[in-house]
């Protein structure tokens, strides 16, 4: 199924045109305007800091971090930054374009449906997530690239290349930490080689790769500062950096929404000019709210384990649905889940679209389309025409829950032809037979 874009396919041409337009949105202001804003100048600054041997973080972990990512991210920015802003921005745009294409390719190939989708079904997930893709280009965020890395990692895992799969998971984690949530899944499913590879390569990406550029001691010192300032800090005011965003409406993670519902947290705090607004149903203290977050997270984790099929019942479709739920959970489990983070629902939605098209049960097809419609309507509440209050209540979080619920239903109620074929998991799912639950 994996292929290059074709100039003979109208939808592929549309994809290329969209990439050109989105790249123009990045380069236009820099070439003809006052300079591209959002995160692009920060990436150039980080690359220049490395090139000039300057610090990426303040000496005090409690100080303000201009750059909030691990040092490897800055190292990767040095080469294009050396040639200037425009080459850097072109490089980042090309990465997003390739990641967008590969995300669609891998997602459609990993649904477990055993069918090659028609062009419109293939393109449908890209259409419904185009606003997220626009954010990736416009903001310069790496979440789409990370998604492609994670999908490729699972593709490699399914094709019996666990060490390469682990390296992809490690690279994504070393760039932006939240993909580390895949590690417990690898351990639970006993993908030992992939889990070990992830640990080994994470050490290489965090300590070995930056050492020749930054110096071993300097890099270790920066890693400690970054960890204390980002991962190791949490209070009623916020966690990590950007306290004004962590509890506000822009964050739709389980952590943020739970705290907004259980504590009197001003969800307009990202904009001091706005009147304070609250949505808490009860008035709990910070510690109690954290215990509720922990209980919810534990419940979701145990629920995920409960619906995972045993080894004897694993099929390509159940494995795809399992991964879809995992991607939903990784998205909302991140401490900070802004609007563009929900680009990671691409795979889960693609899986449900294939079920809507190919499930042999007419009622199930209709119900799955209805599930996708409800999720889509919830996501549309993030459009600018709607009040920000709806995002404060977690419209995308609710959409992720609806999609995950649909996948859970399909795991628990497989089609009859799938049930009949599950007696031969070895032939159906490469790599699963050596990784029992």
């Amino acid at each position: 199924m994996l292929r290059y874009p074709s100039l003979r396919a109208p939808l592929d041409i549309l994809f290329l045109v969209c990439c050109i337009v989105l790249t123009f949105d990045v380069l236009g202001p820099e070439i003809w305007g006052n300079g591209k804003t959002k995160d692009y100048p920060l990436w150039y600054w980080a690359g220049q800091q490395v090139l000039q041997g300057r610090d990426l973080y303040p000496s005090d972990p409690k100080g303000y971090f201009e750059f909030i990512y691990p040092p490897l991210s800055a190292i990767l920015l040095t080469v294009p930054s050396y040639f200037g802003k425009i080459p850097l921005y072109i490089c980042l745009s090309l990465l997003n374009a390739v990641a967008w294409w590969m995300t669609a390719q891998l997602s459609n190939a990993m649904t477990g449906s055993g069918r090659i989708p028609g062009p419109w079904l293939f393109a449908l997930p890209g259409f419904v997530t185009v606003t997220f893709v626009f954010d990736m280009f416009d903001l310069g965020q790496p979440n789409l690239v990370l998604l492609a890395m994670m999908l490729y990692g699972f593709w490699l895992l399914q094709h019996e290349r666990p060490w390469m799969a682990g390296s992809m998971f490690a690279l994504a984690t070393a760039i932006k930490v939240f993909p580390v949530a895949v590690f417990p899944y690898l351990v639970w499913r006993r993908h030992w080689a992939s889990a070990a590879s992830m640990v080994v390569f994470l050490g290489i990406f965090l300590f070995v790769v930056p050492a020749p550029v930054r110096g071993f001691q300097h890099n270790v010192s920066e890693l400690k500062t970054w960890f204390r300032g980002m991962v190791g800090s949490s209070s009623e005011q916020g966690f990590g950096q950007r306290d004004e965003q962590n509890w506000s409406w822009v964050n739709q993670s389980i952590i943020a929404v739970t705290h907004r519902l259980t504590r009197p947290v001003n969800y307009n705090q990202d904009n001091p000019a706005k009147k304070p607004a609250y949505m808490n149903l009860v008035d709990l203290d910070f510690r109690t709210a954290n215990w509720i977050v922990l209980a919810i997270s534990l419940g979701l984790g145990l629920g995920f384990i409960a619906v995972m099929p045993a080894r004897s019942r694993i099929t390509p479709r159940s494995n795809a649905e399992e991964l879809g739920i995992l991607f939903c959970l990784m998205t909302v489990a991140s401490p900070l889940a802004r609007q563009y983070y929900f680009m990671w629902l691409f795979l889960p939605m693609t899986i449900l679209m294939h079920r809507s098209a190919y499930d042999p049960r007419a009622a199930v097809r209709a119900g799955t389309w209805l599930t996708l419609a409800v999720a889509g309507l919830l996501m549309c509440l993030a459009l600018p025409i709607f009040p920000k209050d709806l995002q404060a209540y977690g419209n995308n979080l609710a959409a992720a829950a609806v999609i995950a619920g649909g996948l859970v239903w399909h795991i628990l109620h497989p089609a009859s032809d799938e049930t009949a074929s599950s007696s031969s998991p070895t032939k159906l799912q490469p790599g699963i037979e050596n990784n029992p639950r």
Side-chain angles (χ1 to χ4, degrees):
M1 182 178 292
L2 302 183
R3 62 179 180 85
Y4 292 103
S6 172
L7 294 179
R8 297 181 179 180
L11 289 177
D12 290 9
I13 295 174
L14 178 61
F15 164 79
L16 294 172
V17 170
C18 288
C19 290
I20 293 172
V21 172
L22 291 170
T23 301
F24 181 81
D25 172 70
V26 176
L27 298 181
E30 188 63 36
I31 298 174
W32 294 288
N34 297 321
K36 179 60 180 174
T37 57
K38 310 297 172 60
D39 288 326
Y40 283 94
L42 175 62
W43 306 148
Y44 179 73
W45 175 88
Q48 289 296 313
Q49 291 294 103
V50 174
L51 288 170
Q52 298 170 20
R54 297 177 181 175
D55 292 334
L56 289 168
Y57 315 106
S59 57
D60 183 3
K62 296 181 180 179
Y64 183 82
F65 284 33
E66 294 287 347
F67 187 73
I68 61 176
Y69 301 92
L72 178 70
S73 303
I75 302 295
L76 297 176
L77 294 167
T78 54
V79 174
S81 295
Y82 175 82
F83 296 97
K85 287 186 176 181
I86 292 178
L88 171 65
Y89 298 174
I90 291 175
C91 180
L92 295 176
S93 297
L94 286 175
L95 280 174
N96 272 324
V98 172
W100 190 13
W101 178 258
M102 290 307 301
T103 293
Q105 290 281 302
L106 292 167
S107 294
N108 277 284
M110 295 171 62
T111 62
S113 64
R115 304 282 292 272
I116 297 178
W120 288 105
L121 180 60
F122 175 88
L124 184 56
F127 284 131
V128 300
T129 58
V130 69
T131 57
F132 299 128
V133 175
F134 171 78
D135 283 344
M136 297 298 103
F137 279 85
D138 186 50
L139 299 173
Q141 276 291 319
N143 288 55
L144 179 55
V145 176
L146 300 180
L147 173 58
M149 288 180 181
M150 297 297 288
L151 289 172
Y152 185 52
F154 279 108
W155 171 266
L156 292 168
L157 188 61
Q158 291 180 0
H159 288 77
E160 301 182 343
R161 301 171 73 179
W163 277 88
M164 286 191 64
S167 70
M168 296 306 300
F169 300 145
L171 180 58
T173 302
I175 292 173
K176 197 170 184 178
V177 180
F178 76 95
V180 73
V182 75
F183 185 76
Y185 173 80
L186 296 176
V187 173
W188 181 260
R189 273 304 190 189
R190 300 183 186 179
H191 293 296
W192 302 122
S194 185
S197 172
M198 184 176 177
V199 173
V200 171
F201 276 98
L202 188 59
I204 292 173
F205 291 136
L206 291 180
F207 294 97
V208 178
V209 173
V213 181
R214 302 294 279 168
F216 184 78
Q217 292 298 332
H218 188 188
N219 178 64
V220 170
S221 176
E222 287 197 320
L223 273 174
K224 290 180 180 178
T225 302
W226 170 81
F227 186 87
R228 291 171 61 190
M230 285 297 302
V231 182
S233 62
S234 178
S235 68
E236 293 187 38
Q237 285 68 45
F239 45 88
Q241 297 281 321
R242 314 300 189 261
D243 290 349
E244 72 281 359
Q245 297 181 13
N246 292 336
W247 301 130
S248 70
W249 65 270
V250 301
N251 188 1
Q252 294 199 42
S253 68
I254 292 175
I255 296 174
V257 174
T258 301
H259 275 266
R260 290 198 295 265
L261 289 172
T262 58
R263 292 197 300 127
V265 176
N266 171 24
Y267 61 78
N268 282 333
Q269 61 184 258
D270 64 305
N271 187 352
K274 285 188 176 181
K275 181 180 178 181
Y278 305 89
M279 53 180 274
N280 57 301
L281 303 178
V282 293
D283 189 353
L284 303 178
D285 58 57
F286 177 69
R287 183 178 181 182
T288 305
N290 280 335
W291 279 110
I292 294 177
V293 170
L294 181 61
I296 293 174
S297 301
L298 182 61
L300 290 174
L302 293 176
F304 183 36
I305 291 173
V307 301
M308 284 184 184
R311 175 177 179 254
S312 60
R313 294 173 47 236
I314 291 177
T315 68
R317 275 181 278 188
S318 71
N319 188 59
E321 289 148 7
E322 185 177 301
L323 291 182
I325 298 171
L326 176 65
F327 274 71
C328 289
L329 293 178
M330 286 194 292
T331 301
V332 301
S334 172
L336 179 62
R338 295 175 63 103
Q339 168 79 4
Y340 54 81
Y341 275 62
F342 291 86
M343 179 72 209
W344 275 44
L345 298 182
F346 194 108
L347 173 66
M349 287 191 291
T350 303
I351 295 168
L352 286 181
M353 289 173 186
H354 276 241
R355 301 296 178 270
S356 301
Y358 300 128
D359 194 286
R361 299 161 292 183
V364 172
R365 293 197 301 271
T368 307
W369 279 124
L370 179 61
T371 300
L372 286 166
V374 171
L377 290 173
L378 287 169
M379 289 182 179
C380 286
L381 297 178
L383 294 174
I385 60 175
F386 296 104
K388 296 293 189 294
D389 307 61
L390 298 175
Q391 294 187 61
Y393 279 94
N395 67 297
N396 284 328
L397 177 62
V402 170
I403 291 171
L407 292 169
V408 168
W409 190 93
H410 276 279
I411 284 183
L412 298 178
H413 302 85
S416 57
D417 60 332
E418 182 179 6
T419 304
S421 64
S422 64
S423 59
S424 302
T426 302
K427 297 180 181 179
L428 290 169
Q429 189 61 37
I432 291 296
E433 66 274 14
N434 295 321
N435 299 283
R437 178 175 165 183

